[in-house]
Amino acid sequence: MFRDGVEEEVRLLQEVGSTAASALGLKEIRALNAGQISREECIAKIQQATRRYAKRQLTWFRHQTTFLPLNLTPFSHREAVRAITQIFRRAQE
């Protein structure tokens, strides 16, 4: 994100809605742009927030008993779409 210019992107942002305002990293990058934290601290805080968010997602999914576990890691994008489509079609039968 930082290599692709996220600091400038956030700097140019106008007002955002409440949902967008809670996006991962936005608060931290605004603090960086305001000179309140260093770039290294900003990156570390975003990484920590991302890990916490992922953990909350995993916890939530673990308690959802109606979801079929699906690991698409070994698949290319095209293969993953094909696998999901097949699962969906089987479920509709």
Coordinates of all heavy atoms in Angstrom, one line a residue:
M1 N 0.8 -1.2 0.0 CA 0.0 0.0 0.0 C 0.9 1.3 0.0 O 0.6 2.2 -0.7 CB -0.9 0.0 1.2 CG -2.0 -1.0 1.3 SD -3.1 -1.1 2.8 CE -2.5 0.1 3.8
F2 N 1.9 1.2 0.8 CA 2.8 2.4 0.9 C 3.6 2.6 -0.4 O 3.7 3.8 -0.8 CB 3.7 2.3 2.2 CG 2.9 2.6 3.4 CD1 2.2 1.6 4.1 CD2 2.9 3.9 3.9 CE1 1.5 1.9 5.2 CE2 2.2 4.2 5.1 CZ 1.5 3.2 5.7
R3 N 4.0 1.5 -1.0 CA 4.7 1.7 -2.3 C 3.8 2.2 -3.4 O 4.3 2.8 -4.3 CB 5.3 0.3 -2.7 CG 6.7 0.0 -2.1 CD 7.3 -1.2 -2.6 NE 7.1 -2.2 -1.5 CZ 6.7 -3.4 -1.6 NH1 6.4 -3.9 -2.7 NH2 6.6 -4.2 -0.5
D4 N 2.5 2.0 -3.2 CA 1.6 2.4 -4.3 C 1.0 3.8 -4.0 O 0.0 4.2 -4.6 CB 0.5 1.4 -4.4 CG 1.0 0.1 -5.1 OD1 2.0 0.1 -5.8 OD2 0.4 -1.0 -4.8
G5 N 1.5 4.4 -2.9 CA 1.0 5.8 -2.7 C -0.2 6.0 -1.8 O -0.9 7.0 -1.9
V6 N -0.4 5.1 -0.8 CA -1.5 5.3 0.1 C -1.5 6.5 0.9 O -2.5 7.1 1.2 CB -1.7 4.0 0.9 CG1 -0.6 3.9 2.0 CG2 -3.1 3.9 1.5
E7 N -0.3 7.0 1.2 CA -0.2 8.2 2.0 C -0.8 9.4 1.3 O -1.6 10.2 1.8 CB 1.2 8.5 2.4 CG 1.8 7.5 3.3 CD 3.3 7.7 3.5 OE1 3.7 8.7 4.1 OE2 4.1 6.9 3.0
E8 N -0.5 9.5 0.0 CA -1.0 10.6 -0.8 C -2.5 10.4 -1.1 O -3.3 11.4 -1.0 CB -0.3 10.7 -2.2 CG -0.7 11.8 -3.1 CD -0.4 13.2 -2.5 OE1 0.5 13.3 -1.6 OE2 -1.0 14.2 -3.0
E9 N -2.9 9.2 -1.3 CA -4.3 8.9 -1.5 C -5.2 9.4 -0.3 O -6.2 10.0 -0.5 CB -4.5 7.4 -1.7 CG -5.9 7.0 -2.1 CD -6.1 5.5 -2.3 OE1 -5.1 4.9 -2.7 OE2 -7.2 5.0 -2.2
V10 N -4.7 9.1 0.9 CA -5.4 9.5 2.1 C -5.3 11.0 2.3 O -6.3 11.6 2.7 CB -4.9 8.7 3.3 CG1 -5.4 9.3 4.6 CG2 -5.2 7.2 3.2
R11 N -4.2 11.6 1.9 CA -4.1 13.0 2.1 C -5.1 13.7 1.2 O -5.6 14.8 1.6 CB -2.6 13.4 1.7 CG -2.3 14.8 2.0 CD -0.8 15.2 1.7 NE 0.1 14.4 2.5 CZ 1.0 13.5 2.1 NH1 1.0 13.2 0.8 NH2 1.7 12.8 2.9
L12 N -5.4 13.2 0.0 CA -6.3 13.8 -0.9 C -7.8 13.5 -0.7 O -8.6 14.1 -1.3 CB -5.9 13.4 -2.4 CG -4.6 13.8 -2.8 CD1 -4.3 13.2 -4.2 CD2 -4.4 15.3 -2.9
L13 N -8.0 12.6 0.3 CA -9.4 12.2 0.6 C -10.2 13.4 1.1 O -9.7 14.2 1.9 CB -9.4 11.2 1.7 CG -9.4 9.7 1.3 CD1 -9.4 8.8 2.5 CD2 -10.6 9.4 0.4
Q14 N -11.4 13.5 0.6 CA -12.4 14.5 1.2 C -13.1 13.8 2.4 O -12.6 12.7 2.9 CB -13.3 14.9 0.1 CG -12.7 15.5 -1.1 CD -11.9 16.8 -0.8 OE1 -12.4 17.6 0.0 NE2 -10.7 16.9 -1.3
E15 N -14.2 14.3 2.7 CA -15.0 13.6 3.8 C -15.4 12.2 3.3 O -15.7 12.0 2.1 CB -16.2 14.4 4.1 CG -15.9 15.7 4.8 CD -15.3 15.5 6.2 OE1 -15.8 14.6 6.9 OE2 -14.3 16.2 6.5
V16 N -15.4 11.3 4.2 CA -15.9 9.9 3.9 C -17.0 9.5 4.9 O -17.1 10.1 6.0 CB -14.7 8.9 4.0 CG1 -13.6 9.2 3.0 CG2 -14.1 8.9 5.4
G17 N -17.8 8.6 4.5 CA -18.9 8.1 5.3 C -18.3 7.3 6.5 O -17.1 7.0 6.6
S18 N -19.2 7.0 7.4 CA -18.8 6.3 8.7 C -18.2 4.9 8.4 O -17.3 4.5 9.1 CB -20.0 6.3 9.7 OG -21.0 5.5 9.1
T19 N -18.8 4.3 7.4 CA -18.3 2.9 7.1 C -16.9 3.0 6.5 O -15.9 2.3 7.0 CB -19.2 2.2 6.1 OG1 -20.5 2.1 6.6 CG2 -18.7 0.8 5.8
A20 N -16.6 3.9 5.6 CA -15.3 4.1 5.0 C -14.3 4.6 6.0 O -13.2 4.3 6.0 CB -15.4 5.0 3.8
A21 N -14.8 5.4 7.0 CA -13.9 6.0 8.0 C -13.4 4.9 8.9 O -12.3 5.1 9.5 CB -14.7 7.0 8.8
S22 N -14.0 3.8 9.0 CA -13.6 2.7 9.8 C -12.7 1.7 9.1 O -12.3 0.6 9.6 CB -14.7 2.0 10.5 OG -15.5 1.3 9.5
A23 N -12.3 2.0 7.8 CA -11.5 1.1 7.0 C -10.1 0.9 7.7 O -9.6 1.8 8.3 CB -11.3 1.7 5.7
L24 N -9.7 -0.3 7.6 CA -8.4 -0.7 8.2 C -7.3 0.3 7.7 O -7.1 0.4 6.5 CB -8.0 -2.1 7.9 CG -8.6 -3.2 8.7 CD1 -8.2 -4.6 8.2 CD2 -8.3 -3.1 10.2
G25 N -6.6 0.9 8.6 CA -5.4 1.7 8.3 C -5.7 3.2 8.1 O -4.8 4.0 8.1
L26 N -6.9 3.5 7.8 CA -7.2 4.9 7.5 C -6.9 5.9 8.7 O -6.2 6.9 8.5 CB -8.7 5.1 7.2 CG -9.1 6.5 6.8 CD1 -8.3 7.0 5.6 CD2 -10.6 6.6 6.5
K27 N -7.3 5.5 9.9 CA -7.0 6.3 11.1 C -5.4 6.4 11.3 O -4.9 7.5 11.5 CB -7.6 5.6 12.3 CG -7.3 6.3 13.6 CD -7.9 5.5 14.8 CE -7.4 4.1 14.9 NZ -7.8 3.3 16.0
E28 N -4.7 5.3 11.1 CA -3.3 5.3 11.3 C -2.6 6.2 10.2 O -1.7 6.9 10.5 CB -2.7 3.9 11.2 CG -3.2 3.0 12.4 CD -4.6 2.4 12.2 OE1 -5.2 2.7 11.2 OE2 -5.0 1.7 13.1
I29 N -3.0 6.1 9.0 CA -2.4 6.9 7.9 C -2.7 8.4 8.1 O -1.8 9.2 7.8 CB -2.8 6.4 6.5 CG1 -2.3 4.9 6.3 CG2 -2.3 7.3 5.4 CD1 -2.9 4.2 5.1
R30 N -3.9 8.7 8.6 CA -4.2 10.1 8.9 C -3.3 10.6 10.0 O -2.8 11.7 9.9 CB -5.7 10.3 9.2 CG -6.5 10.2 8.0 CD -8.0 10.5 8.3 NE -8.7 10.7 7.1 CZ -10.0 10.7 7.0 NH1 -10.8 10.5 8.1 NH2 -10.6 10.9 5.8
A31 N -3.0 9.8 11.0 CA -2.1 10.2 12.1 C -0.7 10.3 11.5 O 0.0 11.3 11.9 CB -2.1 9.1 13.2
L32 N -0.3 9.5 10.6 CA 1.0 9.6 10.0 C 1.1 11.0 9.2 O 2.1 11.7 9.3 CB 1.3 8.5 9.0 CG 2.5 8.6 8.1 CD1 3.8 8.6 8.9 CD2 2.5 7.4 7.1
N33 N 0.1 11.2 8.4 CA 0.1 12.4 7.6 C 0.1 13.7 8.5 O 0.6 14.7 8.1 CB -1.1 12.5 6.6 CG -0.9 11.5 5.5 OD1 0.2 11.1 5.2 ND2 -2.0 11.2 4.8
A34 N -0.5 13.6 9.7 CA -0.6 14.7 10.6 C 0.7 14.9 11.4 O 0.8 15.8 12.2 CB -1.8 14.6 11.5
G35 N 1.6 13.9 11.2 CA 2.9 14.0 11.9 C 2.8 13.5 13.4 O 3.7 13.7 14.2
Q36 N 1.8 12.8 13.7 CA 1.6 12.3 15.1 C 2.3 11.0 15.3 O 2.6 10.7 16.5 CB 0.1 12.1 15.3 CG -0.7 13.4 15.2 CD -2.2 13.2 15.2 OE1 -2.7 12.1 14.9 NE2 -2.9 14.2 15.5
I37 N 2.6 10.2 14.3 CA 3.3 8.9 14.4 C 4.3 8.8 13.2 O 4.1 9.5 12.2 CB 2.4 7.7 14.5 CG1 1.5 7.6 13.2 CG2 1.5 7.7 15.7 CD1 0.7 6.3 13.1
S38 N 5.3 7.9 13.4 CA 6.2 7.7 12.3 C 5.7 6.7 11.3 O 4.7 6.0 11.6 CB 7.5 7.1 12.9 OG 7.3 5.8 13.4
R39 N 6.3 6.7 10.2 CA 5.9 5.7 9.1 C 6.0 4.3 9.6 O 5.1 3.5 9.4 CB 6.8 5.9 7.9 CG 6.3 5.2 6.7 CD 7.0 5.7 5.4 NE 6.3 5.5 4.2 CZ 6.6 4.6 3.3 NH1 7.7 3.9 3.5 NH2 5.9 4.5 2.2
E40 N 7.1 4.0 10.4 CA 7.3 2.6 10.9 C 6.2 2.3 11.9 O 5.7 1.2 11.9 CB 8.7 2.5 11.6 CG 9.8 2.6 10.6 CD 10.1 4.0 10.1 OE1 9.8 5.0 10.8 OE2 10.7 4.1 9.0
E41 N 5.9 3.2 12.8 CA 4.8 3.0 13.7 C 3.5 2.8 13.0 O 2.6 2.0 13.4 CB 4.7 4.2 14.7 CG 3.7 3.9 15.9 CD 3.7 5.1 16.9 OE1 4.5 6.1 16.7 OE2 2.9 5.0 17.8
C42 N 3.2 3.6 12.0 CA 2.0 3.5 11.2 C 1.9 2.1 10.6 O 0.8 1.5 10.8 CB 2.0 4.6 10.1 SG 0.5 4.5 9.1
I43 N 2.9 1.6 10.0 CA 2.9 0.3 9.4 C 2.7 -0.8 10.4 O 1.8 -1.7 10.2 CB 4.2 0.1 8.6 CG1 4.2 1.0 7.3 CG2 4.3 -1.4 8.1 CD1 5.5 1.1 6.6
A44 N 3.4 -0.7 11.5 CA 3.2 -1.7 12.6 C 1.8 -1.7 13.1 O 1.2 -2.7 13.4 CB 4.2 -1.4 13.7
K45 N 1.2 -0.5 13.3 CA -0.2 -0.4 13.8 C -1.2 -1.0 12.8 O -2.1 -1.7 13.2 CB -0.6 1.0 14.1 CG 0.0 1.5 15.4 CD -0.4 3.0 15.7 CE 0.2 3.4 17.0 NZ -0.7 4.3 17.7
I46 N -1.0 -0.8 11.5 CA -1.9 -1.3 10.5 C -1.7 -2.8 10.5 O -2.7 -3.6 10.3 CB -1.6 -0.7 9.1 CG1 -2.0 0.8 9.1 CG2 -2.3 -1.5 8.0 CD1 -1.6 1.5 7.9
Q47 N -0.5 -3.3 10.6 CA -0.3 -4.8 10.6 C -1.0 -5.4 11.8 O -1.6 -6.5 11.6 CB 1.2 -5.1 10.6 CG 1.9 -4.8 9.3 CD 3.4 -4.9 9.4 OE1 4.0 -4.8 10.5 NE2 4.1 -5.1 8.3
Q48 N -0.9 -4.8 12.9 CA -1.5 -5.3 14.1 C -3.0 -5.3 14.0 O -3.7 -6.3 14.3 CB -1.1 -4.5 15.4 CG -1.7 -5.1 16.7 CD -1.2 -6.5 17.0 OE1 -0.1 -6.8 16.9 NE2 -2.1 -7.3 17.4
A49 N -3.6 -4.2 13.5 CA -5.0 -4.1 13.3 C -5.5 -5.2 12.3 O -6.6 -5.7 12.5 CB -5.4 -2.7 12.8
T50 N -4.7 -5.4 11.2 CA -5.1 -6.4 10.2 C -5.1 -7.8 10.9 O -6.0 -8.6 10.6 CB -4.1 -6.4 9.0 OG1 -4.2 -5.0 8.5 CG2 -4.5 -7.4 8.0
R51 N -4.1 -8.1 11.7 CA -4.0 -9.4 12.3 C -5.2 -9.6 13.3 O -5.9 -10.7 13.3 CB -2.7 -9.6 13.1 CG -1.5 -9.9 12.2 CD -0.3 -10.3 13.1 NE 0.2 -9.2 13.9 CZ 1.0 -8.3 13.6 NH1 1.5 -8.3 12.3 NH2 1.4 -7.4 14.4
R52 N -5.6 -8.6 14.0 CA -6.7 -8.6 14.9 C -8.0 -8.8 14.1 O -8.9 -9.6 14.5 CB -6.8 -7.4 15.8 CG -5.8 -7.3 16.8 CD -5.9 -6.1 17.7 NE -4.8 -6.1 18.7 CZ -4.4 -5.0 19.3 NH1 -4.8 -3.8 18.9 NH2 -3.5 -5.1 20.2
Y53 N -8.2 -8.1 13.0 CA -9.4 -8.3 12.2 C -9.5 -9.7 11.7 O -10.6 -10.3 11.7 CB -9.3 -7.3 11.1 CG -10.5 -7.3 10.2 CD1 -11.8 -6.8 10.6 CD2 -10.5 -7.8 8.9 CE1 -12.9 -6.8 9.8 CE2 -11.6 -7.8 8.1 CZ -12.8 -7.3 8.6 OH -13.9 -7.3 7.8
A54 N -8.4 -10.2 11.2 CA -8.4 -11.6 10.6 C -8.7 -12.6 11.7 O -9.5 -13.6 11.5 CB -7.0 -11.9 10.0
K55 N -8.2 -12.4 12.9 CA -8.5 -13.3 14.1 C -10.0 -13.2 14.4 O -10.7 -14.3 14.6 CB -7.7 -12.9 15.3 CG -7.9 -13.9 16.4 CD -7.0 -13.6 17.6 CE -7.3 -14.7 18.7 NZ -6.5 -14.5 19.8
R56 N -10.6 -12.0 14.4 CA -12.1 -11.9 14.6 C -12.9 -12.6 13.5 O -13.9 -13.3 13.8 CB -12.5 -10.4 14.7 CG -12.1 -9.7 16.0 CD -12.8 -8.4 16.2 NE -12.7 -7.5 15.0 CZ -11.7 -6.6 14.8 NH1 -10.7 -6.6 15.7 NH2 -11.7 -5.8 13.8
Q57 N -12.4 -12.5 12.3 CA -13.1 -13.2 11.2 C -13.0 -14.7 11.4 O -14.0 -15.4 11.3 CB -12.4 -12.9 9.9 CG -12.8 -11.5 9.3 CD -12.2 -11.3 8.0 OE1 -11.0 -11.7 7.7 NE2 -12.9 -10.7 7.1
L58 N -11.8 -15.3 11.7 CA -11.7 -16.7 12.0 C -12.5 -17.2 13.1 O -13.2 -18.2 13.0 CB -10.2 -17.0 12.2 CG -9.3 -16.9 11.0 CD1 -7.8 -17.1 11.5 CD2 -9.6 -17.9 10.0
T59 N -12.6 -16.4 14.2 CA -13.5 -16.7 15.3 C -14.9 -16.8 14.9 O -15.6 -17.7 15.2 CB -13.3 -15.7 16.5 OG1 -11.9 -15.8 16.9 CG2 -14.2 -16.0 17.7
W60 N -15.3 -15.8 14.2 CA -16.7 -15.7 13.7 C -17.0 -16.9 12.8 O -18.0 -17.6 13.0 CB -17.0 -14.4 12.9 CG -18.4 -14.3 12.5 CD1 -19.4 -13.7 13.3 CD2 -19.0 -14.6 11.3 NE1 -20.6 -13.8 12.6 CE2 -20.4 -14.3 11.4 CE3 -18.5 -15.2 10.1 CZ2 -21.3 -14.5 10.3 CZ3 -19.4 -15.5 9.1 CH2 -20.8 -15.1 9.2
F61 N -16.2 -17.2 11.8 CA -16.4 -18.4 11.0 C -16.4 -19.7 11.7 O -17.2 -20.6 11.4 CB -15.4 -18.4 9.8 CG -15.8 -17.5 8.7 CD1 -15.1 -16.4 8.4 CD2 -16.9 -17.9 7.8 CE1 -15.4 -15.6 7.3 CE2 -17.2 -17.1 6.8 CZ -16.5 -15.9 6.5
R62 N -15.6 -19.8 12.7 CA -15.5 -21.1 13.5 C -16.8 -21.4 14.1 O -17.2 -22.5 14.3 CB -14.4 -20.9 14.5 CG -14.0 -22.2 15.2 CD -12.8 -22.2 16.0 NE -12.4 -21.0 16.7 CZ -11.5 -20.1 16.3 NH1 -10.8 -20.4 15.2 NH2 -11.2 -19.0 16.9
H63 N -17.6 -20.4 14.5 CA -18.9 -20.6 15.1 C -20.1 -20.7 14.1 O -21.2 -20.9 14.6 CB -19.2 -19.4 16.1 CG -18.2 -19.4 17.2 ND1 -18.2 -20.4 18.2 CD2 -17.2 -18.6 17.5 CE1 -17.2 -20.1 19.1 NE2 -16.6 -19.1 18.7
Q64 N -19.8 -20.6 12.8 CA -20.8 -20.7 11.8 C -20.8 -22.2 11.4 O -20.0 -22.6 10.6 CB -20.6 -19.8 10.7 CG -20.4 -18.3 11.0 CD -21.6 -17.8 11.8 OE1 -22.8 -18.0 11.4 NE2 -21.4 -17.2 13.0
T65 N -21.8 -22.9 11.8 CA -21.9 -24.3 11.5 C -22.4 -24.6 10.1 O -22.3 -25.8 9.7 CB -22.7 -25.1 12.6 OG1 -24.0 -24.5 12.6 CG2 -22.0 -25.0 13.9
T66 N -23.0 -23.7 9.5 CA -23.7 -24.0 8.2 C -22.7 -23.7 7.0 O -23.1 -24.0 5.9 CB -24.9 -23.1 8.0 OG1 -24.5 -21.7 8.1 CG2 -26.0 -23.4 9.0
F67 N -21.5 -23.2 7.3 CA -20.6 -23.0 6.2 C -19.7 -24.2 5.9 O -19.2 -24.8 6.8 CB -19.6 -21.8 6.5 CG -20.3 -20.5 6.4 CD1 -20.3 -19.7 7.6 CD2 -20.9 -20.0 5.3 CE1 -20.9 -18.4 7.5 CE2 -21.5 -18.8 5.2 CZ -21.5 -18.0 6.3
L68 N -19.5 -24.5 4.7 CA -18.6 -25.6 4.3 C -17.2 -25.0 4.3 O -17.0 -24.0 3.6 CB -19.0 -26.1 2.8 CG -18.2 -27.1 2.2 CD1 -18.3 -28.5 2.9 CD2 -18.6 -27.3 0.7
P69 N -16.3 -25.7 4.9 CA -14.9 -25.2 4.9 C -14.4 -25.2 3.5 O -14.6 -26.2 2.7 CB -14.1 -26.2 5.8 CG -15.2 -26.9 6.6 CD -16.4 -26.9 5.8
L70 N -13.7 -24.2 3.1 CA -13.3 -24.0 1.7 C -11.9 -23.4 1.7 O -11.7 -22.3 2.1 CB -14.2 -23.2 1.0 CG -14.0 -23.0 -0.5 CD1 -14.1 -24.3 -1.3 CD2 -15.1 -22.0 -1.1
N71 N -10.9 -24.2 1.3 CA -9.5 -23.7 1.2 C -9.2 -23.5 -0.3 O -8.9 -24.5 -1.0 CB -8.5 -24.6 1.9 CG -7.1 -24.1 1.8 OD1 -6.8 -23.0 1.3 ND2 -6.2 -24.9 2.3
L72 N -9.1 -22.3 -0.8 CA -8.8 -22.1 -2.2 C -7.3 -21.7 -2.4 O -7.0 -21.4 -3.5 CB -9.7 -20.9 -2.7 CG -11.2 -21.2 -2.6 CD1 -12.0 -20.0 -3.0 CD2 -11.6 -22.4 -3.5
T73 N -6.5 -21.8 -1.4 CA -5.1 -21.4 -1.5 C -4.4 -22.1 -2.7 O -3.7 -21.4 -3.4 CB -4.4 -21.7 -0.2 OG1 -5.1 -21.0 0.9 CG2 -3.0 -21.2 -0.2
P74 N -4.5 -23.4 -2.9 CA -3.8 -24.0 -3.9 C -4.3 -23.7 -5.3 O -3.6 -24.2 -6.3 CB -3.9 -25.5 -3.6 CG -5.1 -25.7 -2.9 CD -5.3 -24.4 -2.1
F75 N -5.4 -23.0 -5.5 CA -6.0 -22.8 -6.8 C -5.6 -21.5 -7.4 O -5.4 -20.5 -6.7 CB -7.5 -22.9 -6.7 CG -8.1 -24.2 -6.2 CD1 -8.7 -24.3 -5.0 CD2 -8.0 -25.3 -7.1 CE1 -9.2 -25.5 -4.6 CE2 -8.5 -26.5 -6.6 CZ -9.1 -26.7 -5.4
S76 N -5.6 -21.4 -8.7 CA -5.5 -20.2 -9.4 C -6.8 -19.5 -9.3 O -7.8 -20.1 -8.9 CB -5.1 -20.4 -10.9 OG -6.2 -21.0 -11.6
H77 N -6.9 -18.2 -9.7 CA -8.2 -17.5 -9.7 C -9.2 -18.3 -10.5 O -10.4 -18.5 -10.0 CB -8.0 -16.1 -10.2 CG -9.3 -15.3 -10.3 ND1 -9.9 -14.8 -9.1 CD2 -10.1 -15.0 -11.3 CE1 -11.0 -14.2 -9.5 NE2 -11.1 -14.3 -10.8
R78 N -8.9 -18.7 -11.7 CA -9.8 -19.4 -12.6 C -10.3 -20.7 -11.9 O -11.5 -21.0 -12.0 CB -9.2 -19.6 -13.9 CG -10.1 -20.2 -15.0 CD -9.4 -20.3 -16.3 NE -8.8 -19.1 -16.7 CZ -9.4 -18.3 -17.7 NH1 -10.5 -18.7 -18.2 NH2 -8.8 -17.2 -18.0
E79 N -9.4 -21.4 -11.4 CA -9.7 -22.7 -10.7 C -10.6 -22.5 -9.5 O -11.5 -23.3 -9.3 CB -8.4 -23.5 -10.3 CG -7.6 -23.9 -11.5 CD -6.2 -24.4 -11.1 OE1 -5.7 -23.9 -10.0 OE2 -5.7 -25.3 -11.8
A80 N -10.3 -21.5 -8.8 CA -11.1 -21.2 -7.6 C -12.6 -20.8 -8.0 O -13.5 -21.3 -7.4 CB -10.5 -20.0 -6.8
V81 N -12.7 -20.0 -9.0 CA -14.1 -19.6 -9.5 C -14.8 -20.9 -9.9 O -16.0 -21.1 -9.6 CB -14.0 -18.6 -10.6 CG1 -15.3 -18.4 -11.3 CG2 -13.5 -17.3 -10.1
R82 N -14.1 -21.8 -10.7 CA -14.7 -23.0 -11.1 C -15.1 -23.9 -10.0 O -16.3 -24.4 -10.0 CB -13.7 -23.8 -12.0 CG -14.3 -24.9 -12.8 CD -13.4 -25.6 -13.7 NE -12.8 -24.7 -14.7 CZ -11.5 -24.5 -14.8 NH1 -10.6 -25.1 -14.1 NH2 -11.0 -23.6 -15.7
A83 N -14.3 -24.0 -8.9 CA -14.6 -24.8 -7.8 C -15.8 -24.3 -7.0 O -16.7 -25.0 -6.6 CB -13.4 -24.9 -6.8
I84 N -15.9 -23.0 -6.8 CA -17.0 -22.3 -6.2 C -18.3 -22.5 -7.0 O -19.4 -22.8 -6.4 CB -16.7 -20.8 -5.9 CG1 -15.6 -20.7 -4.9 CG2 -18.0 -20.1 -5.4 CD1 -15.0 -19.3 -4.7
T85 N -18.2 -22.4 -8.3 CA -19.4 -22.5 -9.1 C -19.9 -23.9 -9.0 O -21.1 -24.2 -8.9 CB -19.0 -22.2 -10.6 OG1 -18.5 -20.8 -10.6 CG2 -20.2 -22.3 -11.5
Q86 N -19.0 -24.9 -9.0 CA -19.5 -26.3 -8.9 C -20.1 -26.6 -7.6 O -21.2 -27.3 -7.5 CB -18.3 -27.3 -9.1 CG -17.7 -27.3 -10.5 CD -16.5 -28.1 -10.6 OE1 -15.9 -28.6 -9.6 NE2 -16.0 -28.4 -11.8
I87 N -19.6 -26.1 -6.5 CA -20.2 -26.2 -5.2 C -21.6 -25.6 -5.2 O -22.5 -26.2 -4.7 CB -19.3 -25.6 -4.1 CG1 -18.0 -26.5 -4.0 CG2 -20.0 -25.6 -2.8 CD1 -16.9 -25.8 -3.1
F88 N -21.7 -24.4 -5.7 CA -23.0 -23.7 -5.7 C -24.0 -24.5 -6.6 O -25.1 -24.6 -6.1 CB -22.8 -22.3 -6.3 CG -24.1 -21.5 -6.4 CD1 -24.6 -21.0 -5.3 CD2 -24.7 -21.3 -7.6 CE1 -25.8 -20.3 -5.4 CE2 -25.9 -20.6 -7.7 CZ -26.4 -20.1 -6.6
R89 N -23.6 -25.0 -7.7 CA -24.5 -25.8 -8.6 C -25.0 -27.0 -7.8 O -26.2 -27.4 -7.9 CB -23.9 -26.1 -9.9 CG -23.8 -24.9 -10.8 CD -23.3 -25.3 -12.2 NE -23.3 -24.1 -13.0 CZ -22.3 -23.8 -13.9 NH1 -21.3 -24.7 -14.1 NH2 -22.3 -22.7 -14.6
R90 N -24.1 -27.7 -7.2 CA -24.4 -28.9 -6.4 C -25.4 -28.6 -5.3 O -26.4 -29.4 -5.1 CB -23.2 -29.6 -5.9 CG -22.5 -30.5 -6.9 CD -21.4 -31.3 -6.2 NE -20.2 -31.2 -7.0 CZ -19.0 -30.8 -6.6 NH1 -18.8 -30.6 -5.3 NH2 -18.0 -30.7 -7.4
A91 N -25.2 -27.5 -4.7 CA -26.1 -27.1 -3.6 C -27.5 -26.8 -4.1 O -28.5 -26.9 -3.3 CB -25.5 -25.9 -2.8
Q92 N -27.6 -26.3 -5.3 CA -28.9 -25.9 -5.9 C -29.7 -27.2 -6.4 O -30.9 -27.1 -6.6 CB -28.7 -25.0 -7.1 CG -28.1 -23.7 -6.7 CD -28.9 -22.9 -5.7 OE1 -30.1 -22.7 -5.9 NE2 -28.3 -22.5 -4.6
E93 N -29.1 -28.3 -6.5 CA -29.7 -29.5 -7.0 C -30.6 -30.1 -6.0 O -30.5 -30.1 -4.8 CB -28.7 -30.5 -7.5 CG -27.9 -30.0 -8.7 CD -26.8 -31.0 -9.1 OE1 -26.5 -31.9 -8.4 OE2 -26.2 -30.7 -10.2

